[in-house]
Amino acid sequence: MLMLPHQFFKLLADETRLRSLLLIAREGDVCVCELTHALQESQSKVSRHLAQMRHSGILVDERRGQWVYYHIAKDLPGWASNIIAGLKDSNCLKQQYIKDAERLKHLDNKSCI
């Protein structure tokens, strides 16, 4: 699926999707329940936003036992990968969303509840 820039930016215009993408980009892969805890959002809301990013080709999911983990798709266009890398490395965004990262970091052994 070819993703055009206006589609990519439209997806990232939602704060829940952006916050999820930042955590996934920084961590490598994250389980739905970890994102639910870190973002302090319902499982259904987080799953709905992850599904949109998966259908668009930004994320890939992987089932491990009963848990579903998400990571950034490896076959993204170069411009999209560069934007995600820039967002991931942005110091101002790290400060803006530091509470999300702290909640994820303090989740017991990074295991789902």
Side-chain angles (χ1 to χ4, degrees):
M1 171 191 287
L2 175 64
M3 182 185 307
L4 297 173
H6 71 278
Q7 296 165 320
F8 180 80
F9 289 115
K10 186 175 181 180
L11 276 168
L12 296 187
D14 180 87
E15 185 178 14
T16 300
R17 287 192 292 271
L18 177 62
R19 290 168 63 200
S20 298
L21 184 66
L22 285 170
L23 287 172
I24 294 167
R26 290 180 182 144
E27 296 296 319
D29 63 350
V30 182
C31 181
V32 173
C33 58
E34 293 170 334
L35 285 170
T36 300
H37 178 78
L39 301 176
Q40 296 186 322
E41 297 286 357
S42 70
Q43 185 272 332
S44 60
K45 181 177 181 178
V46 171
S47 291
R48 185 176 67 249
H49 287 291
L50 292 170
Q52 287 179 296
M53 289 191 286
R54 188 184 74 243
H55 290 298
S56 72
I58 294 174
L59 297 179
V60 175
D61 64 338
E62 176 186 342
R63 183 166 288 281
R64 297 181 199 160
Q66 68 186 91
W67 309 117
V68 178
Y69 287 81
Y70 287 83
H71 59 270
I72 306 294
K74 294 181 181 4
D75 60 350
L76 285 176
W79 60 266
S81 295
N82 290 339
I83 290 168
I84 292 171
L87 291 170
K88 179 182 91 168
D89 296 336
S90 168
N91 285 327
C92 63
L93 288 178
K94 284 180 185 174
Q95 291 302 315
Q96 183 70 29
Y97 299 112
I98 197 166
K99 290 180 183 175
D100 294 346
E102 288 296 317
R103 283 189 291 269
L104 183 62
K105 181 178 157 186
H106 288 94
L107 186 62
D108 296 20
N109 294 336
K110 294 206 38 133
S111 62
C112 295
I113 309 168

